[in-house]
Amino acid sequence: MSAIESTAREAIRAALARERQAVLDEIQNAASEQEQHQYGALLNDAPGDSSDEAQAVTLADLSAARMKHDMRRLHALEAAERRIDDPDFGLCEECGRPIPEARLFVQPDTRRCVACQDRHEKTYAGQPRGSL
């Protein structure tokens, strides 16, 4: 038997689609922003001081970090879309207990119940993640 009833599964599928589209829009906006900044730098070729350069580097780093975060989120949502019809979708990958449907509606790509996610975050907080 499935952990999630079919009506709830369809509502979660719709939430996944909405969230995926929102992330895609964010990625598109970020890419457009980066493009505008690059063209702005080419058009405004006046030399700046070191604080201008530092600010430009910081903004570029923040933009890259935001894009990386959005891409990671998009991959998680796509993985959830592939798993949604699996009978064990909605079961915590750590303890095997059902993840509350309310949690899945809010964060449809979640793979852990609240208790296991809390434990996971405390265990792995601050550890670097691979970028590939």
Side-chain angles (χ1 to χ4, degrees):
M1 175 155 169
S2 178
I4 305 284
E5 296 299 321
S6 64
T7 53
R9 190 177 304 269
E10 291 310 310
I12 294 166
R13 190 185 312 275
L16 270 167
R18 282 190 305 274
E19 185 70 20
R20 184 176 184 274
Q21 188 58 53
V23 171
L24 283 170
D25 291 345
E26 244 179 78
I27 289 169
Q28 186 175 20
N29 290 339
S32 175
E33 234 175 67
Q34 278 184 334
E35 193 173 287
Q36 287 173 358
H37 289 306
Q38 288 172 353
Y39 288 131
L42 290 174
L43 293 174
N44 186 7
D45 224 2
D49 63 11
S50 61
S51 66
D52 290 337
E53 290 175 17
Q55 184 177 16
V57 168
T58 300
L59 289 174
D61 287 348
L62 286 172
S63 183
R66 182 173 127 196
M67 183 74 84
K68 186 176 179 179
H69 169 79
D70 289 343
M71 291 302 294
R72 208 178 295 129
R73 179 86 173 121
L74 179 62
H75 291 148
L77 290 165
E78 289 172 341
E81 286 177 328
R82 288 189 299 273
R83 289 190 329 266
I84 196 164
D85 291 317
D86 292 347
D88 60 348
F89 180 82
L91 296 177
C92 176
E93 69 178 17
E94 300 289 325
C95 68
R97 284 180 263 170
I99 298 170
E101 288 177 8
R103 177 168 170 75
L104 290 167
F105 289 131
V106 174
Q107 192 169 5
D109 61 320
T110 192
R111 299 177 76 121
R112 296 178 189 90
C113 66
V114 173
C116 290
Q117 183 64 36
D118 186 49
R119 196 168 32 256
H120 178 81
E121 288 174 6
K122 287 178 181 172
T123 302
Y124 296 103
Q127 291 188 5
R129 296 185 217 180
S131 61
L132 295 179

